[in-house]
Amino acid sequence: MREDDLMPEAIIDLLRSTWGELLDEVYAAVTGGWLAKHLEETGDPGNAEVFMNEKSLDEAVLALAQATENTSVAPRSDDRDTWHRFRVHAALEAASDLICQSQVAAAANSLDPVPRSTAAHALVAGAVFQLRQAQGARDFWKYERSH
């Protein structure tokens, strides 16, 4: 991931992305990418598995909701690792909320004057942006632990 991907202006490129490209990024993170590795390294043994059977909005909603649940941790100022884990969790929670809102928007009867597909697409773009923020938080945590 490039540093530019974490800047607010990155949303412009995400809004120009296709549905497929956005769902590809979520799918890649969940199925063997950074998010899968993060969950494997920090998850509790009893956590439910996070997976996507296909690249769809419904599967992305379920996967990010479970990832958010699995990363839930209360921040404590005296424990730097817990603080970093919470930063990853907070961005994941925002991504999960946005992608869930996208699912609701896509199913709405009408969002006049905005087309449903436009609203839902913008929310998915926002979710991918937050997913990148979570990845950035994880990368910073890994950097800090190695120095």
Side-chain angles (χ1 to χ4, degrees):
M1 181 174 55
R2 304 167 312 148
E3 189 174 318
D4 289 348
D5 290 338
L6 300 175
M7 297 300 170
E9 296 81 11
I11 194 67
I12 301 301
D13 288 336
L14 290 171
L15 289 168
R16 290 180 178 141
S17 299
T18 66
W19 277 93
E21 291 167 337
L22 294 171
L23 291 173
D24 282 348
E25 191 159 338
V26 176
Y27 186 81
V30 170
T31 58
W34 77 267
L35 181 54
K37 290 176 184 137
H38 177 72
L39 293 169
E40 184 179 305
E41 291 172 7
T42 62
D44 293 326
N47 284 347
E49 183 181 359
V50 176
F51 63 92
M52 288 177 68
N53 289 319
E54 60 186 27
K55 296 175 192 174
S56 71
L57 183 57
D58 291 341
E59 290 281 317
V61 167
L62 295 173
L64 291 183
Q66 189 60 56
T68 300
E69 178 69 25
N70 289 3
T71 60
S72 181
V73 62
R76 293 190 338 236
S77 60
D78 62 332
D79 181 1
R80 194 76 176 152
D81 277 346
T82 302
W83 181 82
H84 280 295
R85 284 181 65 187
F86 179 75
R87 289 187 62 232
V88 173
H89 169 77
L92 274 176
E93 187 172 44
S96 179
D97 289 348
L98 285 165
I99 208 152
C100 186
Q101 292 165 9
S102 173
Q103 185 181 42
V104 171
N109 289 335
S110 174
L111 295 177
D112 291 335
V114 179
R116 284 182 309 164
S117 62
T118 301
H121 180 270
L123 289 163
V124 171
V128 169
F129 183 80
Q130 288 300 318
L131 199 57
R132 288 178 177 180
Q133 296 299 313
Q135 182 180 6
R138 176 182 159 72
D139 290 348
F140 181 69
W141 179 22
K142 286 177 64 177
Y143 167 81
E144 196 172 84
R145 283 191 310 194
S146 68
H147 288 84

